Amino acid sequence: YIGEVELANSPYIGRQKDKNGTMRDVWIFPLRIIQNEEDLIQEIELLEKELEADQHIAETEKERIVKSRIGHSAFKRKLLSESNTCAVCGVDDERFLIASHIKPWSQSTNEERLDVNNGLLLCPSHDSLFDKGFISFEKEGNIITSTDLSQNTAIFMNVNSSMSLRNGLFSKKQTYLSWHSEHHFRR
């Protein structure tokens, strides 16, 4: 046993010899090993130390490098296993879903960065608004919008006061969402 695996690509039919040397059709499932959380945390810490030593890279660039190189795809896979739609509007094309941290990556511990309860799958519009603090959620999961968000922008970005988190996600993520509405949301 080398660890948990996932499909790396679509299964396909190939030709191989069996134990008697006879050619036969076989299904091939391309697999890759999924890193466990402890390995990801170690990788994050090492990469952060590396980047910290380079004084020429801005903080936002360091954060982008770490997010893109480590953990973000694993984080998105975890969120997709919960739900495969935007938590706000229901967009269901995975190519357009963003694994958004509720408590921002830059302010989270390594454990919080990998905690699926610190994440929401959001479409690009809702991710941008949530990330910049223009929307957040009340205790019951109802959307709240910043007074800095114009009515025109809200309409264009598909935000209205009747929206709420879908699929009862709020209860599992309440601690992080409370943090977001208290510390990151623009009142």
Side-chain angles (χ1 to χ4, degrees):
Y1 178 75
I2 14 182
E4 190 177 349
V5 296
E6 68 180 356
L7 277 175
N9 214 328
S10 298
Y12 61 94
I13 296 176
R15 305 252 327 139
Q16 291 181 359
K17 291 182 181 178
D18 65 16
K19 64 181 179 180
N20 299 322
T22 306
M23 289 300 286
R24 62 188 173 99
D25 289 338
V26 295
W27 276 99
I28 298 172
F29 296 84
L31 302 174
R32 71 172 153 242
I33 295 173
I34 299 172
Q35 286 182 301
N36 64 39
E37 288 189 10
E38 293 80 25
D39 291 343
L40 283 173
I41 289 169
Q42 282 183 328
E43 255 186 272
I44 289 168
E45 289 170 347
L46 286 170
L47 185 56
E48 284 177 332
K49 284 178 187 173
E50 248 179 70
L51 293 171
E52 205 56 45
D54 190 339
Q55 300 299 317
H56 297 85
I57 302 175
E59 282 304 310
T60 53
E61 181 64 11
K62 289 177 186 178
E63 182 178 329
R64 188 194 65 72
I65 290 168
V66 172
K67 278 174 111 175
S68 65
R69 282 192 30 202
I70 296 176
H72 203 70
S73 62
F75 185 68
K76 184 174 182 179
R77 278 194 309 273
K78 284 182 182 181
L79 288 172
L80 283 166
S81 71
E82 272 187 346
S83 169
N84 58 353
T85 64
C86 173
V88 178
C89 68
V91 165
D92 64 358
D93 188 328
E94 290 179 18
R95 296 172 297 176
F96 300 110
L97 294 174
I98 298 166
S100 185
H101 281 84
I102 299 168
K103 183 176 181 183
W105 175 276
S106 61
Q107 296 176 25
S108 295
T109 65
N110 287 333
E111 289 78 18
E112 290 171 331
R113 291 171 178 170
L114 299 174
D115 183 359
V116 72
N117 292 317
N118 185 22
L120 294 171
L121 279 178
L122 298 171
C123 68
S125 295
H126 294 129
D127 174 66
S128 179
L129 292 168
F130 187 73
D131 190 48
K132 292 178 173 90
F134 287 102
I135 62 171
S136 196
F137 301 91
E138 296 175 329
K139 281 187 179 180
E140 303 79 29
N142 298 323
I143 198 166
I144 50 177
T145 58
S146 170
T147 54
D148 289 344
L149 187 65
S150 74
Q151 185 63 31
N152 264 357
T153 302
I155 291 167
F156 181 75
M157 300 290 277
N158 187 25
V159 172
N160 65 66
S161 61
S162 68
M163 295 178 128
S164 62
L165 285 177
R166 302 165 65 81
N167 303 325
L169 291 173
F170 190 79
S171 60
K172 294 186 269 180
K173 301 170 184 295
Q174 192 164 14
T175 302
Y176 290 111
L177 287 164
S178 293
W179 185 96
H180 185 274
S181 64
E182 289 175 32
H183 301 285
H184 200 67
F185 178 64
R186 300 169 178 245
R187 300 245 170 241

